[in-house]
Amino acid sequence: MFKAVAVLSFFSILSRCLSFVFRVILSRQVTTVELGIYSVAISICSIFVTLLTAGIPLTISRKTAEYTVDKNKNATNKTVSAGITIALFLSVFVITFILCFKGFFKLVFADMQSYTIILTLIPFMVFSAIYAPIRGYMWGKEQYAKVSIVELIEQILKLVLCLVLFSLGFSNNNLPAGLAISLACVLSSVVGIVFFIKDGGRFVSPQGFVLPTVKTIAPLMAVRVAGSLLQPLLPLMLVSAGFSSTQALSQLGIVLGMTFPLITIPTTLVGSLAMALVPKLSIMQKENQMHKLQTQVYNSLSFTLFCCFMFLPIFSALGEPICLILFKNTEAGVYLSLFAWLV
């Protein structure tokens, strides 16, 4: 368990650092208003990605771990194929909604450039959905290095492609970021599919497995989608509070583009632990090792609290100098100090 967490933590920290560098570069290439436009588009995209993927990796990983103990390869393949079938069906629904209901986005977005960015992110949404069951499979087989490599490849490609596209010049400065995210996701997902096939995984008929998978995924999906719905309404809420559209987008660019990436740093370590923990807990439950299971949960909660209370005083006391160094923006640091408790 410790070795798995160490491997995942190393790659997660590396991937998060690259993702953070991407944010820093973006914040220096565009204005705070443009960063706000991008952040609103990403928040809408995150709702769609949540709808497409929420619960799928978790469900597939748990089932894969159980079927691996039973040495039931066919059931594993059917579960993965069921996950991909569900993801593709939902992808068609999401793409249709984006293309046919432009009027809805006019109501939500303070600036329609966000809609253009959403269009560039469609491949990202679709391939995130396709890769989610594959990720769950590798997670359930405890192939953490493969999962980490795919994520690292995505972050490297996103950073490199973004720099290349920015150097080419665009009339809309947010487009390079959207295009880079989509291209990186497509290419890294292909790597994940190759890993799956090389491990002996196959895409088969999911007959008899789709409905049980949907029943397991649905509650998780509902909770996570509901939790994601507030972000896209933030521009409208700020405007109704007296901000102009430009001011609202600028504040969102600072908060979502600069402050929140820092606040979510502790989740890197905790996320690594969770990834290693889920298949272990599934196997322990199947083998009725309840005392061992409880011990793992208690130890994991202790580790989580340690991570939280390590970062809380740092963000509270040093918010402004941290953001001044990273983003050349002290307002983001004020928000960081105020929001530090969110860790």
Side-chain angles (χ1 to χ4, degrees):
M1 181 73 174
F2 175 78
K3 183 179 179 181
V5 172
V7 170
L8 284 168
S9 297
F10 172 77
F11 279 103
S12 294
I13 291 169
L14 190 55
S15 295
R16 182 59 67 93
C17 287
L18 290 172
S19 179
F20 193 73
V21 170
F22 173 81
R23 285 277 186 171
V24 172
I25 290 172
L26 186 61
S27 70
R28 297 191 179 189
Q29 290 286 341
V30 301
T31 65
T32 55
V33 174
E34 289 172 330
L35 188 59
I37 292 169
Y38 167 81
S39 298
V40 172
I42 288 293
S43 67
I44 288 284
C45 180
S46 69
I47 293 176
F48 290 135
V49 171
T50 300
L51 176 62
L52 294 172
T53 64
I56 291 180
L58 185 64
T59 299
I60 302 298
S61 68
R62 184 171 61 83
K63 290 296 184 182
T64 298
E66 291 176 5
Y67 292 139
T68 300
V69 171
D70 295 335
K71 298 182 179 179
N72 192 341
K73 187 70 176 178
N74 185 53
T76 301
N77 288 333
K78 282 181 174 288
T79 302
V80 173
S81 299
I84 292 175
T85 301
I86 296 165
L88 289 175
F89 174 80
L90 292 172
S91 296
V92 172
F93 169 77
V94 166
I95 293 170
T96 302
F97 181 83
I98 291 171
L99 297 179
C100 296
F101 292 91
K102 189 175 180 179
F104 167 79
F105 294 99
K106 286 183 179 179
L107 294 174
V108 174
F109 291 143
D111 191 300
M112 281 306 288
Q113 287 185 54
S114 294
Y115 180 73
T116 304
I117 300 170
I118 286 287
L119 294 178
T120 67
L121 290 169
I122 286 177
F124 164 71
M125 299 179 209
V126 174
F127 276 85
S128 292
I130 293 172
Y131 175 62
I134 306 295
R135 182 173 183 267
Y137 168 86
M138 292 189 290
W139 188 356
K141 298 275 276 187
E142 300 186 60
Q143 297 174 351
Y144 305 120
K146 291 181 180 178
V147 176
S148 301
I149 288 169
V150 172
E151 292 177 357
L152 182 62
I153 288 172
E154 181 178 358
Q155 295 301 329
I156 292 172
L157 287 172
K158 183 171 73 172
L159 185 60
V160 172
L161 288 168
C162 188
L163 289 171
V164 170
L165 291 171
F166 267 125
S167 67
L168 295 177
F170 280 79
S171 57
N172 183 336
N173 283 335
N174 284 306
L175 286 181
L179 291 171
I181 289 171
S182 284
L183 288 170
C185 183
V186 170
L187 295 173
S188 61
S189 296
V190 170
V191 174
I193 292 170
V194 170
F195 282 153
F196 171 69
I197 294 172
K198 280 196 169 185
D199 191 58
R202 295 293 180 268
F203 302 110
V204 298
S205 170
Q207 186 175 5
F209 281 72
V210 174
L211 189 57
T213 305
V214 169
K215 287 181 178 179
T216 306
I217 290 170
L220 294 168
M221 185 180 295
V223 170
R224 292 184 183 177
V225 170
S228 303
L229 288 176
L230 181 61
Q231 267 195 18
L233 299 177
L234 289 176
L236 297 178
M237 294 169 68
L238 289 175
V239 170
S240 67
F243 287 82
S244 68
S245 294
T246 301
Q247 288 173 330
L249 288 170
S250 179
Q251 291 303 305
L252 286 175
I254 293 169
V255 174
L256 300 180
M258 300 178 187
T259 305
F260 270 30
L262 285 168
I263 286 177
T264 57
I265 285 175
T267 62
T268 300
L269 296 174
V270 177
S272 300
L273 177 63
M275 183 180 287
L277 193 61
V278 169
K280 291 286 188 184
L281 295 182
S282 182
I283 293 170
M284 290 175 197
Q285 186 176 18
K286 187 175 179 64
E287 296 178 348
N288 202 31
Q289 299 176 346
M290 300 309 293
H291 178 72
K292 192 174 180 181
L293 186 151
Q294 289 173 355
T295 301
Q296 288 279 14
V297 172
Y298 293 147
N299 290 341
S300 301
L301 287 172
S302 299
F303 177 75
T304 300
L305 290 172
F306 169 78
C307 290
C308 292
F309 287 107
M310 180 174 65
F311 282 93
L312 179 59
I314 296 173
F315 289 161
S316 296
L318 302 174
E320 288 189 49
I322 288 173
C323 289
L324 183 62
I325 293 170
L326 293 174
F327 304 112
K328 298 182 179 178
N329 189 298
T330 55
E331 196 169 358
V334 173
Y335 285 133
L336 181 61
S337 295
L338 291 173
F339 296 161
W341 60 273
L342 288 175
V343 299

